[in-house]
């Protein structure tokens, strides 16, 4: 049976995932998805979102259908992200750059983006490269994740020229060792680990399973997976972002906009204080929404108006 697409008005206007999944269309792009699709009690086609293999196959179909990605594999138990929300971040980043470029989205390889924590899935660079033609550097402290991301880029010719993956060799560093002395980025993006400990991450998993009414399964699994480094960081999201702000201070001339997702609204006041202490030239918070969840990212820059004008001239 065919779904009747319902538009998700809370997603970005340019997000191609604003409608419910059209499973017949996705199956046409990725026939193996058919093995995981069933009709639920509401007479709608869906998949079991508690099944990691089903979620992974859905992602493969989405990436094939919307972004022409022929090869996409990730190692077992690594983060398999929901793509609509990832796409939203990229489109709002495009709007941020456009706001300082006479409302024109800068496209092509002249735009260079750094993805902190690219993960094994490489989803942000895929969306940014295929949608806007941007160049990406993806960094990660996990060697398996970097090898996976490199495999995805090398197996897809349309990605291989635009995406470079770099291993962060020092787990205490974020930008140091990744941004080279002569490099300048237009923007950095980051989806930081938001739990403060393994215990907190496990509790979060249980809440998610309970919401999906799957908490009584014998061996519950988190539907989107995730390694420790992807899910938690000592001190949580707030500690990670504060460290990012502190490091960005010494590299302020090498990037126009530093940005990071912030999952917990109550963390914003502490982040704003850290930004003021770092003496940034400007910062802003951009709100996004996916489903019932409201999310946001904070963006900050050390560039003054003259530096911003020079950047704009180069984008013409």
């Amino acid at each position: 049976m065919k779904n009747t697409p319902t538009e998700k008005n809370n997603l970005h206007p340019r997000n191609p995932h604003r409608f419910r999944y059209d499973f017949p269309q996705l199956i046409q792009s990725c026939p193996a998805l058919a093995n995981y699709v069933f009709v639920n009690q509401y007479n709608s086609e869906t998949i079991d979102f508690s099944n990691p293999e089903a979620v992974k196959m859905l992602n493969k179909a989405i990436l094939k259908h919307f972004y022409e990605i022929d090869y996409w594999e990730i190692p077992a138990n690594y983060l398999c992200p929901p793509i609509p929300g990832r796409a939203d971040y990229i489109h709002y980043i495009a709007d941020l750059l456009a706001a300082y470029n006479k409302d024109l989205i800068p496209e092509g390889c002249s735009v260079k983006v750094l993805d902190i924590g690219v993960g094994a899935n490489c989803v942000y660079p895929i969306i940014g490269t295929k949608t806007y033609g941007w160049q990406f550097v993806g960094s990660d402290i996990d060697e398996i994740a970097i090898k996976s991301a490199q495999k995805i880029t090398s197996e897809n010719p349309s990605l291989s020229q635009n995406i470079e993956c770099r291993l962060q060799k020092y787990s205490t560093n974020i930008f140091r060792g990744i941004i080279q002395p002569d490099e300048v980025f237009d923007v950095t993006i980051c989806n930081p680990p938001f739990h403060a400990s393994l215990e907190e991450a496990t509790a979060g998993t249980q809440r998610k399973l309970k919401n999906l009414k799957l908490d009584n399964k014998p061996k519950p699994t988190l539907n989107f997976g995730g390694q420790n480094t992807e899910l938690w960081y000592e001190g949580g999201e707030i500690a990670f972002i504060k460290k990012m702000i502190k490091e960005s201070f010494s590299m302020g001339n090498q990037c126009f906009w530093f940005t990071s997702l912030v999952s917990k609204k109550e963390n914003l006041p502490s982040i704003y204080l850290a930004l003021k202490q770092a003496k940034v030239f400007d910062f802003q918070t951009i709100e996004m929404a996916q489903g019932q969840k409201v999310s946001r990212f904070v963006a900050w820059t050390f560039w003054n108006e003259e530096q911003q004008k020079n950047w704009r001239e180069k984008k013409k």
Side-chain angles (χ1 to χ4, degrees), residues 106-113 133-135 184 186 311 314-315:
E107 298 187 21
C109 59
S110 69
V111 176
K112 195 168 183 179
V113 184
W134 296 342
Q135 280 204 321
V184 177
D186 297 271
W311 175 84
K314 290 177 183 176
K315 294 304 166 191

Side-chain angles (χ1 to χ4, degrees), residues 3 29 48 56-57 65 100 136 141 185 196 210-211 215 258 264 279 303 305 316:
N3 279 330
S29 295
D48 177 1
K56 182 177 171 183
M57 196 59 70
H65 182 75
Y100 294 83
F136 275 79
I141 63 171
F185 287 90
K210 191 172 183 180
N211 291 338
D215 53 321
F258 296 91
K264 298 175 181 176
K279 294 182 168 56
W303 287 12
E305 289 174 357
K316 285 185 177 178

Side-chain angles (χ1 to χ4, degrees), residues 90-130:
I90 294 294
H91 291 299
Y92 278 105
I93 287 292
D95 288 349
L96 173 66
L97 296 178
Y100 294 83
N101 192 43
K102 298 180 179 178
D103 291 328
L104 295 173
I105 296 171
E107 298 187 21
C109 59
S110 69
V111 176
K112 195 168 183 179
V113 184
L114 172 58
D115 180 7
I116 296 294
V118 64
N121 58 75
C122 201
V123 163
Y124 284 126
I126 288 172
I127 296 170
T129 291
K130 298 298 290 187

Side-chain angles (χ1 to χ4, degrees), residues 38-262:
F38 64 93
V39 177
N40 65 14
Q41 59 185 337
Y42 305 107
N43 209 30
S44 295
E45 287 178 316
T46 188
I47 64 165
D48 177 1
F49 283 94
S50 72
N51 180 350
E53 285 303 314
V55 174
K56 182 177 171 183
M57 196 59 70
L58 175 61
N59 273 16
K60 288 178 77 166
I62 291 170
L63 291 169
K64 172 68 174 174
H65 182 75
F66 289 97
Y67 303 102
E68 300 173 322
I69 300 301
D70 292 320
Y71 173 89
W72 189 81
E73 294 288 345
I74 56 173
N77 301 319
Y78 275 73
L79 199 62
C80 188
I83 291 170
R86 296 301 195 264
D88 246 34
Y89 190 9
I90 294 294
H91 291 299
Y92 278 105
I93 287 292
D95 288 349
L96 173 66
L97 296 178
Y100 294 83
N101 192 43
K102 298 180 179 178
D103 291 328
L104 295 173
I105 296 171
E107 298 187 21
C109 59
S110 69
V111 176
K112 195 168 183 179
V113 184
L114 172 58
D115 180 7
I116 296 294
V118 64
N121 58 75
C122 201
V123 163
Y124 284 126
I126 288 172
I127 296 170
T129 291
K130 298 298 290 187
T131 306
Y132 296 112
W134 296 342
Q135 280 204 321
F136 275 79
V137 170
S139 73
D140 208 289
I141 63 171
D142 187 321
E143 195 168 351
I144 294 172
I146 285 293
K147 286 180 178 177
S148 173
Q150 286 173 332
K151 176 78 170 167
I152 290 168
T153 60
S154 65
E155 292 289 332
N156 292 282
S158 61
L159 302 179
S160 58
Q161 296 302 310
N162 284 341
I163 301 172
E164 180 190 349
C165 301
R166 297 177 187 172
L167 179 67
Q168 172 57 270
K169 296 177 182 177
Y170 303 98
S171 61
T172 55
N173 289 351
I174 296 176
F175 298 118
R176 292 194 190 105
I178 295 297
I179 298 180
Q180 301 305 304
D182 57 342
E183 271 188 312
V184 177
F185 287 90
D186 297 271
V187 65
T188 71
I189 62 174
C190 181
N191 186 4
F194 48 85
H195 294 301
S197 65
L198 178 59
E199 291 74 22
E200 190 180 304
T202 303
T205 298
Q206 293 297 341
R207 279 195 303 274
K208 185 172 248 185
L209 290 164
K210 191 172 183 180
N211 291 338
L212 288 167
K213 295 183 171 49
L214 298 164
D215 53 321
N216 58 354
K217 282 196 171 184
K219 288 186 178 179
T221 55
L222 179 59
N223 57 326
F224 294 123
Q227 293 292 298
N228 289 350
T229 55
E230 295 176 305
L231 297 176
W232 69 274
Y233 177 84
E234 189 173 347
E237 150 182 288
I238 186 69
F240 192 92
I241 295 172
K242 281 184 174 180
K243 182 168 181 57
M244 196 185 300
I245 293 167
K246 190 174 181 180
E247 275 196 32
S248 70
F249 175 78
S250 62
M251 300 183 174
N253 288 326
Q254 291 184 259
C255 181
F256 184 1
W257 285 104
F258 296 91
T259 79
S260 175
L261 288 171
V262 181

